[in-house]
């Protein structure tokens, strides 16, 4: 019976990683070198973050679920004007958020930008594109949405 465990291999280099954490730590290191910033590897919970302007993008490896999750907290959900707020988010999700999407954490009543991706088959170029996109969109929209709606609006 063939081994059915996921294969973590970089398409361009052909390098095979022992697991998702090893692959992501290498991708994080490479991203940091290219951006000329010092990035921390994943912690014991499979988390690290990247700052861009006013935004922080969390990089979460959920190995048990086989998922890579990028998550950036944008703001609290406003107390009033929610219909207008939600409509704006849906309009932005149509094209402006690229690979990301706005989502509400109901327990925290907070708005996040998030992006999910299966870990198997992930190559560095896709990781780099997703992280860059998430950081750019979060940095643009955290301030703009706060200006438009504020957390107490």
């Amino acid at each position: 019976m063939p081994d059915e465990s996921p294969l973590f291999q970089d398409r361009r280099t052909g390098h095979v990683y022992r697991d998702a954490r090893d692959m992501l730590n290498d991708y994080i290191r490479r991203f940091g070198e290219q951006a000329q910033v010092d990035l921390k590897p994943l912690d014991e919970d499979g988390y690290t973050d990247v700052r861009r302007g006013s935004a922080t993008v969390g990089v979460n490896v959920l190995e048990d679920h086989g998922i890579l999750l990028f998550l950036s907290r944008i703001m609290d959900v406003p107390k009033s004007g929610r219909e207008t707020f939600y409509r704006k988010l849906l309009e932005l999700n149509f094209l402006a958020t690229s690979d990301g999407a706005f989502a509400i954490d109901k327990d925290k009543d907070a708005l996040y930008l998030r992006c999910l991706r299966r870990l198997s088959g992930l190559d560095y170029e896709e990781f780099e594109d997703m992280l860059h996109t998430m950081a750019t969109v979060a940095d643009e929209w955290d301030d703009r949405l706060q200006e438009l709606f504020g957390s107490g609006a």
Side-chain angles (χ1 to χ4, degrees), residues 54-93:
S54 59
T56 300
V57 177
V59 179
N60 303 271
V61 175
L62 309 173
E63 286 184 277
D64 292 347
H65 301 285
I67 299 290
L68 171 63
L69 169 66
F70 294 104
L71 200 59
S72 181
R73 189 176 193 292
I74 302 298
M75 64 183 285
D76 290 337
V77 173
K79 302 292 183 215
S80 63
R82 287 184 174 204
E83 182 178 337
T84 303
F85 177 70
Y86 294 145
R87 180 173 178 98
K88 180 68 171 176
L89 298 179
L90 288 172
E91 290 170 354
L92 293 171
N93 277 347

Side-chain angles (χ1 to χ4, degrees), residues 62 67-70 99-101 114-118 130 134:
L62 309 173
I67 299 290
L68 171 63
L69 169 66
F70 294 104
D99 292 329
R114 67 147 184 87
C115 183
L116 291 166
R117 167 65 165 80
R118 192 171 42 95
M130 290 169 61
M134 282 290 296

Side-chain angles (χ1 to χ4, degrees), residues 74-76 141-153:
I74 302 298
M75 64 183 285
D76 290 337
W141 287 103
D142 63 347
D143 295 328
R144 289 176 71 181
L145 288 169
Q146 188 68 38
E147 287 172 16
L148 289 170
F149 298 100
S151 61

